[in-house]
Amino acid sequence: MEKRPRTIQIFLPYGSPRGIKIAEITNRTVQAILIPRNEFNRISERHEIQNVGIYFLFGHDEENSKPQVYIGEAENCYKRLNTHNKEKDFWEVVVVFVTNNPQNQFTKSDVKYLENLSYLKAVENNRFYINQTIPQQTFVPEWRKADLEDIFNTIKILLSTLGYPLYESMRKVSETDESEIYFCSNNEVSAKGEYNEEGFIVFKGSSVRPLTTKAFKAKSKRDKLIEDKVIIEKDGKFIFYEDYQFTSPSLAASIVLGRNQNGWIAWKNKAGKTLDEIKRQ
């Protein structure tokens, strides 16, 4: 995602910072409407939600270790979302994208193209669990395709701003940048990762201690990662099969070491300085 200064306006139509939000980049014609599920009944009075658009249902599936997303499109977003509110259990928040220009609304072909593109890019990035059929690809002229791909970039930015980094790379630094890479190693494990604004990422290929202590509090989390094949057994060892984002350095270290662990002292850079020494002192 291109990093440059932008102005993003977020409007709270009902005054609550935890409620419905309408966000837009001030020089773009696309707006995002974030609706918590518990406020869904309120959106019937919003004209924006009656338009053609693309939407993202976010939530958690108890049987999966990753957050879940469902991507869809509709000619009338409110009617489609009303159906999802009655029939789909997993979602907690929906983010709808429509245009804020009455003379330049999305067409059905536009949103079907965006739905397909959004799905494929989400699968490629692999940060969220997706359980749906592949949206049908539709034909749009070359000139419109260029416009829609630019709109997709706006969608990515607004989703991340609203707290859903569906299309952001987990890793913010290169593995060659040793000053920002942290290690957790002993005679049983060798893991490395990155500390960022979302918590701590353990990198693919990091090893995990096979056994856990009796007092280990995160055993169910670890078992779930193994069940979902985020951690796999290979040649008698347990390793991370893919990068995985944890909410804190301590949870990441605890999973790696199989015991309750303070991640601020367990993770160290190549010079042997702890994460605590570098980031908190």
Side-chain angles (χ1 to χ4, degrees):
M1 189 180 296
E2 182 187 0
K3 292 184 178 180
R4 60 180 179 81
R6 295 179 175 87
T7 300
I8 296 176
Q9 173 180 287
I10 298 179
F11 173 57
L12 308 177
Y14 300 101
S16 171
R18 304 285 291 179
I20 295 170
K21 302 180 180 75
I22 300 175
E24 55 190 60
I25 299 175
T26 52
N27 61 350
R28 296 299 181 102
T29 60
V30 178
Q31 63 182 186
I33 303 116
L34 180 147
I35 306 136
R37 192 167 189 171
N38 68 331
E39 294 200 20
F40 182 78
N41 290 338
R42 273 184 159 178
I43 67 167
S44 61
E45 62 195 62
R46 304 293 312 182
H47 67 87
E48 303 98 327
I49 214 72
Q50 310 286 345
N51 292 328
V52 180
I54 178 173
Y55 59 87
F56 299 77
L57 301 174
F58 291 102
H60 290 83
D61 182 338
E62 293 182 1
E63 297 183 356
N64 199 282
S65 55
K66 293 180 181 179
Q68 184 172 350
V69 65
Y70 177 94
I71 302 167
E73 55 78 25
E75 291 183 85
N76 183 313
C77 288
Y78 173 72
K79 288 183 178 179
R80 181 67 56 81
L81 293 173
N82 196 37
T83 300
H84 289 325
N85 192 36
K86 295 173 182 176
E87 297 178 356
K88 290 188 182 299
D89 291 333
F90 82 91
W91 67 278
E92 301 152 359
V93 168
V94 60
V95 183
V96 182
F97 289 88
V98 295
T99 60
N100 58 14
N101 184 340
Q103 282 73 48
N104 187 22
Q105 294 293 306
F106 284 139
T107 67
K108 182 70 170 177
S109 293
D110 288 342
V111 291
K112 287 192 72 66
Y113 181 86
L114 285 170
E115 179 192 34
N116 176 264
L117 177 63
S118 298
Y119 170 88
L120 294 177
K121 292 294 185 182
V123 169
E124 181 182 317
N125 204 40
N126 196 31
R127 290 200 67 168
F128 284 64
Y129 170 61
I130 304 175
N131 181 21
Q132 66 182 98
T133 57
I134 301 173
Q136 184 179 357
Q137 192 174 46
T138 188
F139 171 79
V140 294
E142 185 177 5
W143 63 267
R144 187 54 175 163
K145 186 183 293 187
D147 289 344
L148 292 171
E149 289 178 356
D150 187 52
I151 287 169
F152 175 68
N153 286 328
T154 301
I155 289 173
K156 292 194 296 185
I157 293 165
L158 290 174
L159 280 176
S160 291
T161 301
L162 292 169
Y164 299 94
L166 179 59
Y167 299 107
E168 278 193 34
S169 172
M170 275 195 235
R171 298 193 191 190
K172 305 298 188 293
V173 299
S174 167
E175 281 197 60
T176 59
D177 186 0
E178 294 182 347
S179 65
E180 294 294 332
I181 303 299
Y182 295 89
F183 303 85
C184 180
S185 303
N186 58 28
N187 59 350
E188 291 184 280
V189 302
S190 178
K192 61 182 176 180
E194 168 198 332
Y195 178 62
N196 61 32
E197 66 271 16
E198 296 178 59
F200 197 95
I201 300 169
V202 176
F203 289 169
K204 176 181 179 179
S206 295
S207 60
V208 178
R209 185 171 179 264
L211 302 177
T212 62
T213 63
K214 289 184 179 180
F216 184 45
K217 295 178 181 178
K219 188 176 186 306
S220 60
K221 174 71 173 178
R222 177 182 154 122
D223 289 345
K224 192 61 187 166
L225 291 173
I226 293 171
E227 181 183 334
D228 291 343
K229 296 183 169 48
V230 174
I231 297 173
I232 63 169
E233 187 174 2
K234 184 178 180 181
D235 300 326
K237 297 180 179 180
F238 285 92
I239 65 167
F240 276 82
Y241 186 66
E242 60 187 67
D243 291 352
Y244 190 82
Q245 178 78 56
F246 290 95
T247 54
S248 71
S250 293
L251 180 56
S254 297
I255 295 295
V256 167
L257 296 171
R259 63 172 185 261
N260 303 326
Q261 179 66 52
N262 182 346
W264 290 95
I265 61 174
W267 293 104
K268 300 177 182 179
N269 68 5
K270 194 172 183 181
K273 286 192 172 183
T274 66
L275 185 60
D276 180 67
E277 291 175 297
I278 295 169
K279 297 294 184 181
R280 300 203 299 190
Q281 295 182 16

